[in-house]
């Protein structure tokens, strides 16, 4: 019998390729040949998975009869959870069909799941399919529901599924990290500067308490922050200052400066102009005026200046629902463009703002970045469009401006895009390093370790509406029936500030869509069907004929 040469194509196939395939199949090893490495877990993910010390179960409610696009999401979720289990066998999962198991919608909704209702066309009949695309992580008597489909307006179903798959690893592993953490990080909310009321800030507090321990920071002397409050501040991983309207004292600024120098993260929501929509709705006309909270030099130290001038965006704006008429005693409402409520739409690849709904700003001002500061990186999160106007204050704001969005009022002039929010990261230097105030703080530090800060030039970005004494979810506008991305934005902002595992970078993962040409499929459908039917038969016939010829040549 003639020996097969190991260096021949047949020998390579028999002695190299086939054994390699067998080894990969039985060992479970997989090779990720995708350009974006979509099937390779990040180092940050691996570290989080390895930190899970007790048994964890992930129940995925994505089983049953549903469209092919959701089958892809199911497949991707199953693959990722299998990879998680390989890293840490304590993590197990199962897929559940809520219809087959006869789980009621009320039960599922009580677990924090909202149904997705999809149209289904069969035999010319249109019906509806109700899905609950969620995963529930159970760990040590705790549980959390995770939506597997991103909630983003203005995109089609294919984009929504693609972005859901892009964010799958982050959604799962960030929640695994939070639920398995031995100790939750603390977020302090400053209550001393006439900030937002508890009802107006309830939505933010609720989202903060999902993953962190959040609570108020009230000065012990009931007047201002002092040295007595430093021990409590040191326990806080982050400090939130939401719409302060009372000026900070110099002593308070030193306390805040040293909180930052000691590694504390800060989230600022600042109003530089006093303008309230409730007052405008009642009086039809208001006179906004600057608000000085005595922080100009503080932010200047970080290369920022918050300008006391209202930003009007005549291209990207929210709608304002107003009474514009009356029929038989019934008021008639119309939704009109309101340039003083610009929308923050993510136009850069930043993990804080990626794949979220437009963020609604209310009477925002703007932030100037005053050139680079040594060791500080400044990243713009949101800015206005190129069709932006500035209204200097004091000046009148009139509801009649909804009728002529493009008009220029007194003291207005066309301007360049203005920045609404920025993120700072790096090593910060103290603003009081060479000032006498440093002597009032024991153990004064002149610089910080690697730190982060977010500054937003709008105090209302974190305020939820209150209807008849009942707080609404953050970002919900009942009058226009819109869900803005304020909650998503602020949740991501907190996660960014407190992310010590570099998980936020997973939100920047992009999956290139390699879609088939639908028009060509329609035009050449019959040809491809015949090809798929006959090509396998031809290949089998050729292989059979080849073996028959070789056998005849050898033994004939």
């Amino acid at each position: 019998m003639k020996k097969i040469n190991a260096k021949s194509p047949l020998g390579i196939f028999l002695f190299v390729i086939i054994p390699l395939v067998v080894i990969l199949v039985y060992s479970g090893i997989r090779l990720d040949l995708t350009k974006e490495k979509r099937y390779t877990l990040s180092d940050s993910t691996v570290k989080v998975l390895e930190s899970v010390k007790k048994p964890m179960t992930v129940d995925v409610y994505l089983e049953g009869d549903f469209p092919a696009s959701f089958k892809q999401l199911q497949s991707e979720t199953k693959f990722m959870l299998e990879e998680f289990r390989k890293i840490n066998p304590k993590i197990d999962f199962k897929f559940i069909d809520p219809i087959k198991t006869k789980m009621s919608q009320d039960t599922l909704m009580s677990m924090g799941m909202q149904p997705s209702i999809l149209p289904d066309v069969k035999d010319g009949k249109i019906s509806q399919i109700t899905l609950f695309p969620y995963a529930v992580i159970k760990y040590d008597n705790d549980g959390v529901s995770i939506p597997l489909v991103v909630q983003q307006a203005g995109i089609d179903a294919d984009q929504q599924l693609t972005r859901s798959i892009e964010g799958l690893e982050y959604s799962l592993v960030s929640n695994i990290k939070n639920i398995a953490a031995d100790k939750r990080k603390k977020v302090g909310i400053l209550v001393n500067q006439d900030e937002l009321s508890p009802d107006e800030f309830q939505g933010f507090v609720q989202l903060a308490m999902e993953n962190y321990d959040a609570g108020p920071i009230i000065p012990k002397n009931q007047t201002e922050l002092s040295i007595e409050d430093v021990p409590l501040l040191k326990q806080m991983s982050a400090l939130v200052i939401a719409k302060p309207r009372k000026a900070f004292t110099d002593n308070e600024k030193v306390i805040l400066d040293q909180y930052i120098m000691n590694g504390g993260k800060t989230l600022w929501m600042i109003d530089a102009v006093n303008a309230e929509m409730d007052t405008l709705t009642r009086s039809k006309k208001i006179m906004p005026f600057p608000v000085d909270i005595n922080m100009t030099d503080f932010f200047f130290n970080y290369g920022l200046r918050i300008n006391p001038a209202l930003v009007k965006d005549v291209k990207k704006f929210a709608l304002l629902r107003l009474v514009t008429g009356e029929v038989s005693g019934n008021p008639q409402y119309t939704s009109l463009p309101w340039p003083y409520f610009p929308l923050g739409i993510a136009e850069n690849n930043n993990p804080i703002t990626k794949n979220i709904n437009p963020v609604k700003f209310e009477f925002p001002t703007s932030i100037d970045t005053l050139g680079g500061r040594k060791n500080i990186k400044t990243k713009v999160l949101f800015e206005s469009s190129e069709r932006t106007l500035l209204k200097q204050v004091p000046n009148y704001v009139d509801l009649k401006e909804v009728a002529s969005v493009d008009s220029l009022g007194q003291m207005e002039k066309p301007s360049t895009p203005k920045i609404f929010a920025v993120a700072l990261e790096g090593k910060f230097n103290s603003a009081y390093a060479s000032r006498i105030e440093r002597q009032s703080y024991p153990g004064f530090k002149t610089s910080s370790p690697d730190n982060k800060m977010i500054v937003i030039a709008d105090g209302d970005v974190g305020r939820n509406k209150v209807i008849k004494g009942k707080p609404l979810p953050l970002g919900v506008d009942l009058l226009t029936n819109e869900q803005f991305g304020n909650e998503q934005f602020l949740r991501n902002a907190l996660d960014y500030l407190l992310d010590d595992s570099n998980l936020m970078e997973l939100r920047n993962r992009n999956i290139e869509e390699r879609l088939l040409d639908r028009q060509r499929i329609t035009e050449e459908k019959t040809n491809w069907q015949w090809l798929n039917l006959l090509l396998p038969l031809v290949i089998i016939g050729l292989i059979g004929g080849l073996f028959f010829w070789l056998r005849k040549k050898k033994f004939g």
Side-chain angles (χ1 to χ4, degrees):
M1 182 176 181
K2 185 178 179 181
K3 293 183 178 180
I4 300 175
N5 186 354
K7 295 183 179 181
S8 66
L10 183 59
I12 293 174
F13 178 76
L14 293 176
F15 299 120
V16 178
I17 296 179
I18 290 181
L20 181 61
V21 170
V22 172
I23 291 172
L24 291 176
V25 169
Y26 284 95
S27 66
I29 299 175
R30 293 167 175 169
L31 300 178
D32 188 354
L33 302 179
T34 59
K35 180 180 179 181
E36 60 271 16
K37 298 298 179 185
R38 63 186 292 185
Y39 299 113
T40 301
L41 300 181
S42 70
D43 294 338
S44 301
T45 296
V46 173
K47 289 180 181 178
V48 170
L49 298 177
E50 290 175 343
S51 68
V52 177
K53 305 302 182 184
K54 299 179 182 180
M56 174 182 290
T57 303
V58 183
D59 294 338
V60 184
Y61 292 84
L62 204 57
E63 187 69 44
D65 184 19
F66 41 74
S69 56
F70 279 84
K71 287 287 186 183
Q72 183 184 2
L73 179 61
Q74 178 196 51
S75 175
E76 296 282 350
T77 305
K78 185 176 182 180
F79 173 84
M80 190 155 293
L81 291 173
E82 287 174 347
E83 295 298 299
F84 286 6
R85 187 165 56 188
K86 288 179 184 178
I87 300 296
N88 191 338
K90 290 186 175 66
I91 301 175
D92 200 6
F93 66 92
K94 58 182 177 181
F95 280 72
I96 298 173
D97 183 350
I99 305 300
K100 188 175 181 179
T101 55
K102 297 181 180 179
M103 296 183 68
S104 69
Q105 289 196 20
D106 292 339
T107 301
L108 295 168
M109 293 177 70
S110 68
M111 296 167 63
M113 305 185 201
Q114 297 299 321
S116 296
I117 301 176
L118 305 175
D120 182 39
V121 181
K122 287 185 178 179
D123 300 327
K125 297 181 179 179
I126 300 177
S127 60
Q128 290 183 335
I129 299 177
T130 301
L131 300 178
F132 287 86
Y134 281 78
V136 177
I137 299 177
K138 299 177 182 178
Y139 181 80
D140 196 23
N141 298 321
D142 290 327
V144 60
S145 298
I146 308 167
L148 299 178
V149 178
V150 299
Q151 303 300 317
Q152 185 177 3
I155 58 176
D156 58 33
D158 290 337
Q159 288 179 308
Q160 190 175 26
L161 264 297
T162 298
R163 295 182 183 183
S164 299
I165 293 171
E166 287 178 344
L168 188 59
E169 182 177 347
Y170 175 77
S171 296
L172 291 173
V173 77
S174 61
N175 281 278
I176 288 175
K177 176 189 174 184
N178 291 328
I179 198 172
D182 295 329
K183 187 177 180 181
R184 304 212 317 174
K185 293 183 178 180
K186 295 184 178 181
V187 175
I189 301 170
L190 187 60
V191 179
N192 184 54
Q193 312 298 133
D194 295 338
E195 296 88 358
L196 294 172
S197 69
D199 282 348
E200 293 174 318
F201 210 49
Q202 182 172 318
F204 178 88
V205 173
Q206 288 178 343
L207 77 85
M209 293 184 68
E210 291 176 5
N211 298 323
Y212 311 102
D213 291 334
I217 300 293
I218 304 174
K220 288 188 176 182
N221 60 20
Q222 303 294 316
T223 303
E224 65 175 0
L225 290 174
S226 65
I227 295 296
E228 293 181 285
D229 301 303
V230 171
L232 179 59
L233 285 172
K234 285 185 176 180
Q235 298 177 27
M236 302 297 154
S237 299
L239 187 63
V240 179
I241 304 93
K243 198 172 182 174
R245 282 165 280 193
K246 187 179 80 172
F248 289 86
T249 65
D250 291 337
N251 290 333
E252 287 180 308
K253 289 157 69 174
V254 174
I255 299 294
L256 293 172
D257 173 88
Q258 286 303 292
Y259 171 77
I260 294 170
M261 293 308 112
N262 281 276
K265 314 298 189 296
T266 47
L267 173 57
W268 301 85
M269 297 175 244
I270 306 295
D271 267 356
V273 171
N274 181 38
E276 300 295 336
M277 194 65 216
D278 293 341
T279 306
L280 179 60
T281 303
R282 291 192 301 268
S283 61
K284 312 302 181 186
K285 192 175 185 180
I286 60 174
M287 174 75 79
F289 56 87
V291 175
D292 183 9
I293 59 172
N294 192 32
M295 294 292 281
T296 301
D297 59 337
F298 188 93
F299 289 117
F300 183 85
N301 180 60
Y302 300 99
L304 303 178
R305 179 174 58 217
I306 302 177
N307 299 305
L310 293 175
V311 177
K312 296 175 62 177
D313 194 328
V314 297
K315 181 178 180 181
K316 299 187 300 187
F317 46 73
L319 298 177
L320 190 64
R321 194 162 178 80
L322 298 172
V323 177
T324 54
E326 185 178 310
V327 176
S328 301
N330 297 317
Q332 302 298 303
Y333 291 90
T334 305
S335 295
L336 299 169
W338 186 234
Y340 292 102
F341 283 6
L343 296 179
I345 299 175
E347 296 176 347
N348 50 29
N349 201 29
N350 191 292
I352 302 175
T353 60
K354 184 179 179 180
N355 293 347
I356 67 174
N357 285 337
V359 174
K360 181 183 179 183
F361 297 97
E362 299 187 6
F363 293 114
T365 56
S366 63
I367 299 173
D368 284 344
T369 54
L370 308 174
R373 290 293 189 267
K374 188 177 180 181
N375 299 325
I376 297 180
K377 294 180 180 178
T378 303
K379 299 179 180 180
V380 175
L381 301 180
F382 288 116
E383 62 181 348
S384 64
S385 74
E386 71 280 1
R387 299 182 64 194
T388 295
L389 307 174
L390 280 183
K391 171 160 282 192
Q392 303 297 330
V393 294
N395 200 349
Y396 281 111
V397 171
D398 197 322
L399 270 183
K400 293 179 181 178
E401 293 181 60
V402 298
S404 53
V405 173
D406 289 317
S407 66
L408 292 177
Q410 186 179 5
M411 298 177 65
E412 288 183 332
K413 61 180 181 179
S415 180
T416 55
K418 297 302 178 184
I419 299 171
F420 296 137
V422 296
L424 307 179
E425 58 182 56
K427 294 182 178 180
F428 303 149
N429 293 322
S430 171
Y432 299 89
S434 58
R435 295 170 59 173
I436 194 171
E437 288 92 336
R438 64 176 294 169
Q439 298 179 5
S440 65
Y441 195 97
F444 184 92
K445 289 188 176 182
T446 59
S447 62
S448 76
D450 286 335
N451 206 340
K452 298 176 183 177
M453 175 190 300
I454 290 179
V455 181
I456 307 169
D458 178 22
D460 293 316
V461 71
R463 181 172 72 171
N464 53 257
K465 303 299 182 186
V466 180
I467 303 295
K468 296 181 179 179
K470 182 180 179 181
L472 299 178
L474 182 57
V476 170
D477 189 337
L478 283 184
L479 294 179
T480 60
N481 195 30
E482 290 185 83
Q483 172 68 63
F484 296 101
N486 297 47
E487 180 178 338
Q488 299 165 300
F489 170 49
L490 294 177
R491 178 183 285 108
N492 291 345
L494 275 183
D495 290 345
Y496 161 80
L497 292 174
L498 299 174
D499 178 24
D500 53 8
S501 302
N502 202 32
L503 290 178
M504 282 295 290
E505 289 303 317
L506 294 176
R507 285 182 51 82
N508 271 341
R509 173 167 287 183
N510 291 312
I511 296 178
E512 184 178 346
E513 295 185 74
R514 298 174 176 88
L515 304 177
L516 298 176
D517 188 333
R518 296 183 182 275
Q519 181 177 354
R520 187 178 175 189
I521 290 174
T522 302
E523 294 174 351
E524 303 176 10
K525 179 179 179 180
T526 304
N527 296 337
W528 287 107
Q529 286 177 333
W530 279 110
L531 179 65
N532 289 333
L533 177 65
L534 298 178
L535 184 60
L537 298 178
V538 172
I539 293 174
I540 293 173
L542 290 175
I543 293 174
L546 177 62
F547 274 97
F548 179 78
W549 178 78
L550 291 173
R551 182 177 179 86
K552 183 177 180 181
K553 183 178 179 181
K554 183 176 181 179
F555 300 105

